[in-house]
Amino acid sequence: SCGQRNQQGSSATKEPGWDQQQAELQFRVLQAELKLAQSNQAYLVLDFQRNQLEIKLQGTTVWNYPMTIEKTEASELHEFSERFMGSQQNIMRPLLFKYLFAASGRTPDSILAIISGATMFPPELLQRTIPERFQLKWSDDIVLDIRTDVVGKPESKWKNTMVEIRRAIAGSLGDAYVTVKMPKDNAITLYRAAVIGLPTLIYPAS
């Protein structure tokens, strides 16, 4: 009948697997990255769609690391993404806090020069310690915990304990927490580049 033909025609125009909400989100992410790329400031990208961390400058990737997720289920990546975006569907936040639990030795000047060239941060402003473990934190108790195989000395056992206690309290209330294991050299670059206020863009877990 005519009604059946109209119904078939209507359904035929719909793309199979089309997700309008996801498409709109991807468009907003691309718009945000374009705006960041037009600045002269480095920015961090949490790409949970490809399980990758990136530092970019003017749209060019100057550092990247395929994430090895430790003790983290896919559901936790979704929880992290949802908390990061919040009710306002924010896809970009500034880095609020960085905490070094333990570190060892000093970064050679030659490596600092390479990091400085990649991230546009002056070598004299870059810390020289080699991190064993550090955390990056955004507002709303969103935490990325970076761990390496370095055996380091605690910066402050008392402060470490207090951070862990606050973490336990936040966890009981529902925080967003992802642990990433990475090699020392990758961790050094991320730690140096992660200055407070660093723009952070998320490609949320799908």
Side-chain angles (χ1 to χ4, degrees), residues 18-37:
W18 171 256
D19 186 333
Q20 182 173 346
Q21 185 176 5
Q22 186 66 22
E24 290 175 351
L25 175 60
Q26 291 295 333
F27 179 70
R28 290 177 53 238
V29 173
L30 291 173
Q31 279 188 314
E33 179 146 18
L34 179 60
K35 184 176 179 179
L36 287 169

Side-chain angles (χ1 to χ4, degrees), residues 47-171:
D47 191 339
F48 287 165
Q49 295 176 5
R50 296 186 300 155
N51 280 356
Q52 185 160 280
L53 302 176
E54 297 177 321
I55 297 173
K56 291 187 174 183
L57 182 65
Q58 296 181 330
T60 300
T61 301
V62 296
W63 174 91
N64 73 296
Y65 179 69
M67 289 189 295
T68 301
I69 303 300
E70 183 177 273
K71 299 179 182 178
T72 301
E73 303 288 342
S75 60
E76 290 178 307
L77 291 180
H78 283 279
E79 183 179 346
F80 188 105
S81 299
E82 289 175 4
R83 178 72 67 86
F84 191 99
M85 295 171 65
S87 59
Q88 300 298 317
Q89 292 292 286
N90 298 315
I91 50 180
M92 187 169 61
R93 289 175 181 250
L95 181 65
L96 182 67
F97 179 74
K98 176 173 71 172
Y99 183 75
L100 179 67
F101 280 86
S104 173
R106 293 168 63 86
T107 307
D109 289 341
S110 57
I111 294 181
L112 283 179
I114 295 172
I115 295 172
S116 175
T119 61
M120 301 294 288
F121 295 115
E124 62 273 14
L125 297 182
L126 298 175
Q127 303 100 328
R128 296 170 180 270
T129 51
I130 301 173
E132 172 189 327
R133 178 192 175 196
F134 64 95
Q135 288 184 350
L136 305 180
K137 184 176 180 179
W138 296 264
S139 57
D140 297 323
D141 291 316
I142 301 167
V143 177
L144 193 64
D145 193 321
I146 308 298
R147 306 189 185 210
T148 72
D149 290 328
V150 172
V151 178
K153 179 181 178 181
E155 293 292 295
S156 168
K157 291 183 179 180
W158 182 82
K159 286 184 179 180
N160 288 357
T161 300
M162 294 305 296
V163 169
E164 292 288 20
I165 290 174
R166 285 196 293 268
R167 152 83 177 105
I169 294 173

Side-chain angles (χ1 to χ4, degrees), residues 156-202:
S156 168
K157 291 183 179 180
W158 182 82
K159 286 184 179 180
N160 288 357
T161 300
M162 294 305 296
V163 169
E164 292 288 20
I165 290 174
R166 285 196 293 268
R167 152 83 177 105
I169 294 173
S172 67
L173 299 175
D175 65 348
Y177 192 95
V178 169
T179 300
V180 178
K181 181 81 171 181
M182 67 173 58
K184 174 186 67 176
D185 291 344
N186 298 87
I188 288 173
T189 303
L190 178 58
Y191 182 72
R192 302 301 182 270
V195 296
I196 303 304
L198 180 71
T200 305
L201 178 71
I202 191 170

